[in-house]
Amino acid sequence: MKGRRKRNGIVLWSSLFRCTLLVVVSFIFFTTLLFSSFHEHHPSLPFRWKTPPTISHATITIRETVMLPDQALIFLNYPPSFRFHAKHDLLCLYFSADSTRRLTQPPIQLHLARLGEQIVRCALPPRGNSVSLIIKSDGVLPTKDSSTHKWTPLVYEALFDRDNTTIVFVKGLNLRPQRLIEPSRFHCIYGWDFTNPKFFLKSDVISGAQEIIRCRTPKSILAGHDQAQAQAQAQAYAQSIKVTIQVGNREIFPSIARPGLRPQYYRRMKKEHEICICTMLRNQARFLREWVIYHAKIGVQRWFIYDNNSDDDIENVISLLQSIGYNISQHLWPWVKTQEAGFAHCALQARASCNWVGFIDVDEFFNIKTQGGLSRVIWHHAKPGHNVGEIRTLCFSFGPSGLREVPREGVAVGYTCRLRASERHKSIVRPEALNQSLINVVHHFHLSAPFVAVDVGTSTMVINHYKYQVWKVFKEKFYRRVATYVADWQEKQNVGSKDRAPGLGTKAVEPADWANRFCEVKDYSLKNWVLRNFLDRRTRLLPWQPEFEHHLRKRRRRNDKSPLDIQPFF
């Protein structure tokens, strides 16, 4: 009996030993297999990224500041657990190193940018002063580890494209319009510290023109971003990588451009929207409702609003339109005189969901002369197999039409007198058809082969451009124009060009006959169409008029129905 217990004990210990040995061997085998599989998909590279320095404690920090010609942009980083501050929580602080005197004033506006980032717009500091921020509840934000950049030269935006390239937006190249660069003259550089060659990586430039450089994204960047997408904790690491350009082997441009995480692209059988619109605006919120509601009626399904530093409460107007069913997104684009670059950025953003994208301003309206709406016009001019990538529409400029005050019925009904001759065209494009350089000038793009552009006849569709409105509206154009290659109104450059008001000059002084200028042809076509399709028969109001919402509320209260529920005018 005693011997049996001993043998039983030996059996138990030996079994335990064998099991343990099996577990260890299995662990080594599967670990080896796992790592060999990983290296099979992600080969080791001679270049190794140095992890950027981390902040020892969670706090809001000023990442960098950009001094635009008319204001300062301050970029704030927020830890994940912090709430974003409102405008009333902050003050812009102005100070100099050799003085104890400090000035403060409220910020112009606040904007949310990427995850964990907020942009604060402040007035420019007095000469010799620096700018920072005060959080009223916490005190002054330090600027020790932040950098301040002049507007030019500067790499200001970047994004990864789906062909494993990086699109880099640059101010200060001073390239001529519609001219391609020689790619070998430039390099793209990725890293955190561009002053130390040990910690950045160069890549080749594929194409470039105007303000846009396209470069080949290094494999180590792509692998790092793919891993970051799978690991939430790597997100801050991935977004901290900057990209800039180098001219020859000499000048490296300063940069604030972080491409962010590489987007995942899914090839859909059918895109979500047939027709979208991109526009860039500044302080035109009062015209936005009419423009959106009208274009929804003729077939537009999606709007991309690139906001060039508005301070006229545009956020509330867009929120209202979104709440009643219009698919609108607002994108802050604070960069001065970069309309062409902004349109290229928008074309890339819209490509995944839009078959066609129109590029027009908020004072421009597609005026369709035939039945079927905008989709019918596109179908007729871009039938399958014809390789049509751009549809061009001529513009006709309308004048004040005898008015001295802003028409309450809106621009399409109020302004009915125009110039006889047409102006240059505006375009509706297929995003996939664009040339890889993304060249575009005055609302039209260059196409890649085999795509072609076609013109729409004026008997089918034109654009009503309400260019010369009543003086109190028109004079705002003297502040600044958004196009890169179009001179501002106050500059004496190209005074006689078509980009200016004929005979006006460079000063914002109202001519005595302004109300009756630019009136060569009476044109009621769009006015009559709008009144037939939008006018409320009871109130004689149009849906974008301020009184329309008030009357609709009263009507619903009388009928004891639910609260206001304005439906989109599709």
Side-chain angles (χ1 to χ4, degrees):
M1 180 69 69
K2 183 177 179 181
R4 185 180 298 175
R5 280 198 299 268
K6 184 177 180 181
R7 286 193 302 272
N8 289 343
I10 292 172
V11 170
L12 290 172
W13 280 107
S14 62
S15 299
L16 179 61
F17 175 78
R18 285 196 297 271
C19 290
T20 304
L21 182 62
L22 179 62
V23 169
V24 171
V25 172
S26 300
F27 176 80
I28 294 171
F29 174 78
F30 283 109
T31 302
T32 305
L33 182 63
L34 175 65
F35 278 94
S36 65
S37 174
F38 175 80
H39 287 293
E40 222 173 76
H41 290 84
H42 301 276
S44 59
L45 296 166
F47 182 88
R48 292 190 177 187
W49 289 108
K50 178 182 177 183
T51 304
T54 57
I55 301 171
S56 58
H57 60 282
T59 181
I60 302 171
T61 58
I62 294 178
R63 194 187 79 195
E64 49 216 347
T65 302
V66 177
M67 309 302 289
L68 297 177
D70 54 357
Q71 57 191 265
L73 301 179
I74 301 177
F75 293 77
L76 296 182
N77 271 347
Y78 281 74
S81 59
F82 279 46
R83 71 171 181 86
F84 286 107
H85 284 292
K87 186 176 178 180
H88 59 77
D89 296 327
L90 304 174
L91 286 173
C92 300
L93 172 67
Y94 306 98
F95 60 94
S96 63
D98 56 355
S99 173
T100 58
R101 186 183 178 192
R102 297 187 171 193
L103 303 173
T104 61
Q105 70 177 59
I108 300 171
Q109 192 57 273
L110 274 63
H111 304 272
L112 296 182
R114 294 182 184 170
L115 183 65
E117 185 177 85
Q118 187 178 47
I119 299 176
V120 183
R121 291 164 47 204
C122 293
L124 286 176
R127 183 179 296 274
N129 280 246
S130 300
V131 61
S132 184
L133 288 173
I134 294 177
I135 301 177
K136 294 179 182 178
S137 59
D138 296 330
V140 180
L141 288 177
T143 57
K144 179 181 178 182
D145 297 324
S146 68
S147 53
T148 299
H149 303 280
K150 295 181 180 179
W151 169 223
T152 180
L154 184 68
V155 174
Y156 57 91
E157 290 278 356
L159 56 85
F160 292 121
D161 204 1
R162 61 190 181 190
D163 60 353
N164 293 340
T165 61
T166 306
I167 312 298
V168 183
F169 298 86
V170 190
K171 196 69 176 178
L173 286 175
N174 299 320
L175 301 177
R176 297 178 65 184
Q178 305 190 66
R179 297 292 180 88
L180 294 171
I181 65 165
E182 171 52 51
S184 61
R185 291 177 49 209
F186 299 86
H187 287 95
C188 283
I189 300 178
Y190 299 78
W192 295 281
D193 182 5
F194 298 130
T195 64
N196 191 340
K198 292 182 179 180
F199 302 116
F200 63 66
L201 182 63
K202 284 188 178 182
S203 74
D204 294 332
V205 169
I206 298 173
S207 68
Q210 298 178 173
E211 291 189 0
I212 301 173
I213 301 291
R214 183 187 292 268
C215 46
R216 202 178 310 279
T217 309
K219 291 182 179 179
S220 56
I221 297 288
L222 296 176
H225 279 272
D226 288 342
Q227 294 172 38
Q229 286 178 329
Q231 302 173 12
Q233 66 270 22
Q235 192 168 36
Y237 168 85
Q239 289 193 347
S240 66
I241 297 173
K242 286 184 179 182
V243 61
T244 189
I245 64 161
Q246 183 179 28
V247 182
N249 291 315
R250 303 181 306 278
E251 182 183 9
I252 297 178
F253 276 46
S255 174
I256 64 167
R258 292 168 168 81
L261 295 177
R262 192 159 65 108
Q264 294 291 331
Y265 293 100
Y266 302 97
R267 189 173 182 84
R268 296 187 178 100
M269 295 297 294
K270 185 177 180 181
K271 293 188 180 182
E272 186 178 359
H273 309 296
E274 181 65 20
I275 308 169
C276 305
I277 283 184
C278 283
T279 195
M280 187 175 293
L281 54 77
R282 181 186 178 277
N283 289 344
Q284 297 186 65
R286 57 184 167 179
F287 304 116
L288 198 58
R289 287 183 66 168
E290 177 185 5
W291 185 75
V292 169
I293 293 172
Y294 169 81
H295 283 97
K297 185 73 171 179
I298 65 170
V300 175
Q301 300 161 313
R302 176 84 162 82
W303 293 260
F304 296 85
I305 309 295
Y306 275 56
D307 179 13
N308 192 221
N309 295 328
S310 296
D311 49 26
D312 62 347
D313 202 30
I314 188 173
E315 292 85 0
N316 286 338
V317 176
I318 291 176
S319 294
L320 172 64
L321 289 167
Q322 290 170 337
S323 70
I324 56 179
Y326 295 101
N327 192 343
I328 305 174
S329 57
Q330 180 183 6
H331 305 263
L332 176 66
W333 189 263
W335 317 117
V336 176
K337 291 187 74 65
T338 57
Q339 185 181 40
E340 294 86 350
F343 278 177
H345 190 280
C346 187
L348 294 173
Q349 296 284 74
R351 182 177 55 192
S353 60
C354 304
N355 283 321
W356 293 91
V357 184
F359 293 85
I360 60 174
D361 297 330
V362 177
D363 61 354
E364 295 171 336
F365 288 62
F366 286 109
N367 182 0
I368 301 172
K369 306 295 185 68
T370 59
Q371 297 294 323
L374 197 53
S375 59
R376 178 70 180 179
V377 174
I378 292 173
W379 178 86
H380 180 76
H381 288 82
K383 293 178 181 179
H386 289 195
N387 291 326
V388 173
E390 181 179 35
I391 298 172
R392 297 177 173 180
T393 309
L394 288 173
C395 301
F396 287 90
S397 294
F398 282 69
S401 305
L403 302 178
R404 299 187 182 277
E405 297 294 331
V406 177
R408 296 187 63 83
E409 304 89 349
V411 297
V413 172
Y415 300 115
T416 56
C417 206
R418 62 169 173 83
L419 295 174
R420 185 179 305 277
S422 63
E423 289 185 325
R424 60 185 56 155
H425 63 263
K426 301 295 176 75
S427 297
I428 307 171
V429 305
R430 288 179 60 184
E432 287 83 4
L434 302 185
N435 184 283
Q436 70 171 0
S437 67
L438 300 174
I439 290 180
N440 66 95
V441 179
V442 194
H443 302 72
H444 72 269
F445 286 81
H446 288 201
L447 305 177
S448 61
F451 292 102
V452 297
V454 297
D455 296 322
V456 177
T458 55
S459 61
T460 300
M461 182 172 72
V462 298
I463 288 178
N464 283 21
H465 185 185
Y466 299 102
K467 184 176 182 178
Y468 309 115
Q469 299 188 33
V470 296
W471 182 257
K472 67 169 60 176
V473 173
F474 182 82
K475 70 178 180 181
E476 295 174 2
K477 293 189 176 185
F478 278 79
Y479 172 72
R480 173 168 43 83
R481 305 183 81 172
V482 295
T484 309
Y485 300 101
V486 177
D488 288 340
W489 291 90
Q490 297 182 46
E491 295 178 6
K492 295 184 178 180
Q493 178 184 356
N494 299 328
V495 174
S497 75
K498 292 183 178 180
D499 294 315
R500 305 217 179 224
L504 184 61
T506 59
K507 296 182 179 180
V509 177
E510 181 179 5
D513 62 340
W514 178 260
N516 297 305
R517 285 192 177 190
F518 318 110
C519 186
E520 296 176 352
V521 176
K522 289 285 187 179
D523 187 340
Y524 299 98
S525 61
L526 192 57
K527 172 182 177 177
N528 293 336
W529 191 93
V530 165
L531 292 177
R532 285 197 308 269
N533 287 274
F534 289 106
L535 190 67
D536 185 279
R537 293 182 180 180
R538 291 187 182 182
T539 64
R540 310 302 296 173
L541 294 171
L542 296 162
W544 44 82
Q545 289 185 253
E547 302 90 349
F548 181 81
E549 185 175 331
H550 172 70
H551 282 277
L552 199 58
R553 289 182 184 276
K554 287 177 62 177
R555 186 189 307 172
R556 290 190 179 276
R557 282 198 297 267
R558 284 197 304 268
N559 295 334
D560 294 323
K561 291 188 176 180
S562 58
L564 175 65
D565 181 23
I566 304 175
Q567 296 299 319
F569 288 86
F570 292 115

